[in-house]
Amino acid sequence: MILSRWILLSVFLVCAVSKAETIHLLGEDDWAPYSSATSDYKDVQGFAPDIVRAAFKSQGVTAIIRPMPFARCMMEVDKGNSLGCFDTVINQNTKDSYIFHATPLFQADMMIYGKVNEKSGLKLADLEGKVVGTTLGYTYPTSFLTNKKIITEPGPTEKSQLMKVAAGRIQYAVLWGMTGEELLKKNPDLKIKVKSLGRVSRDALYVNFSKKHKDGAKYAAILEKGIQTIHSDGTYKKIESEFRKKYPTNQEAFSKKNADLN
């Protein structure tokens, strides 16, 4: 009888393991502290992948995330070669090209950076007629993209934008706030020359799922259910708390902008 029970238990466990799902996603490799590649470039770390993994785990799905430059990440999803990529803004260019879940991963501030001797309190309209640095392949708010009075100058990375501001090659750059602050913290030579001058907008960030991948819609729906689950069971708040301890810079703003997600 005992042997029979062990056999039944073993069969049950094997069946449970066989039903477990594993998926592969792509994550931004150079967007610390939200999402960046680990030192061995085999995984992705940061607030976004922590939320994505936890949300899928709550639904019995293991998410393996491979780091990739954001522009290529988006291209792979657009072609249907990959299931999904993050972190993406829903704007005029992305809303009809990808499948999105309803509840965002989090919200972030798009900030204006300029020379330290410039006045603070700048807004989107203050960029009109100015040369403003952006990062190739990144998604930006529709309000910024559609303002034809802003002269944009793309560059390879967000750090390169700060370097151009410091060198006087461009007047302003637009970066995601916490990323900008982390870059300045890690580069004291830039911090003495460049600072945040104001905010363009506050935007929600998502995983964009492929319309050409057979499982795009399926896992967008599963992620949505998972995000709702981790909000309701306290997992989201726990991850957010750990993130705030690790990256205390600008956490007051981070707390305020995510308050409505909890």
Side-chain angles (χ1 to χ4, degrees):
M1 180 65 74
I2 294 176
L3 180 60
S4 297
R5 288 179 178 176
W6 274 110
I7 292 174
L8 288 173
L9 178 60
S10 298
V11 171
F12 173 78
L13 290 174
V14 169
C15 290
V17 171
S18 66
K19 290 181 179 179
E21 295 181 79
T22 298
I23 62 169
H24 292 79
L25 296 171
L26 301 177
E28 162 68 82
D29 69 346
D30 189 28
W31 200 44
Y34 298 114
S35 176
S36 61
T38 53
S39 58
D40 60 5
Y41 209 83
K42 291 182 179 180
D43 202 356
V44 180
Q45 61 190 354
F47 187 64
D50 285 352
I51 292 298
V52 171
R53 290 191 186 101
F56 274 119
K57 183 179 179 181
S58 75
Q59 304 305 304
V61 178
T62 298
I64 297 175
I65 305 170
R66 182 160 63 100
M68 186 173 287
F70 190 70
R72 183 183 166 195
C73 171
M74 295 289 281
M75 181 177 66
E76 290 296 304
V77 175
D78 188 52
K79 291 180 177 179
N81 295 335
S82 182
L83 177 62
C85 165
F86 60 85
D87 303 275
T88 308
V89 171
I90 299 177
N91 61 25
Q92 62 174 13
N93 297 327
T94 63
K95 63 184 178 70
D96 296 323
S97 300
Y98 305 98
I99 301 168
F100 291 96
H101 45 103
T103 306
L105 300 177
F106 60 94
Q107 294 180 351
D109 287 337
M110 176 67 70
M111 304 298 293
I112 301 166
Y113 284 83
K115 288 287 190 70
V116 293
N117 58 356
E118 289 217 34
K119 68 175 183 178
S120 297
L122 298 186
K123 298 180 180 179
L124 178 65
D126 295 308
L127 301 179
E128 294 177 356
K130 307 295 193 303
V131 178
V132 181
T134 58
T135 303
L136 283 167
Y138 274 29
T139 53
Y140 290 90
T142 297
S143 59
F144 178 80
L145 292 174
T146 56
N147 193 322
K148 302 303 181 183
K149 296 180 181 180
I150 298 174
I151 306 164
T152 59
E153 183 175 311
T157 65
E158 292 192 306
K159 182 180 178 181
S160 72
Q161 306 312 315
L162 296 178
M163 292 173 67
K164 286 193 286 186
V165 170
R169 292 173 56 192
I170 56 177
Q171 189 164 356
Y172 301 118
V174 288
L175 287 81
W176 297 99
M178 288 192 70
T179 304
E181 295 308 312
E182 283 298 309
L183 284 170
L184 293 180
K185 181 180 178 181
K186 293 178 180 178
N187 297 274
D189 56 323
L190 292 176
K191 191 171 184 178
I192 61 174
K193 298 178 181 180
V194 180
K195 71 174 183 179
S196 172
L197 300 174
R199 187 176 74 185
V200 172
S201 61
R202 178 168 293 169
D203 300 278
L205 281 299
Y206 302 81
V207 177
N208 60 299
F209 289 88
S210 177
K211 284 190 171 183
K212 296 178 182 178
H213 193 290
K214 64 183 180 63
D215 292 325
K218 172 185 174 180
Y219 286 104
I222 291 174
L223 179 60
E224 172 60 24
K225 186 175 180 181
I227 294 174
Q228 291 183 20
T229 297
I230 64 173
H231 273 298
S232 62
D233 69 9
T235 301
Y236 190 100
K237 284 188 175 181
K238 182 178 179 181
I239 295 172
E240 181 183 19
S241 177
E242 290 301 314
F243 177 72
R244 292 170 66 181
K245 290 177 183 177
K246 192 173 182 179
Y247 297 98
T249 304
N250 201 26
Q251 287 300 330
E252 182 180 357
F254 181 82
S255 178
K256 288 179 180 177
K257 68 195 171 198
N258 281 285
D260 59 339
L261 298 181
N262 294 310

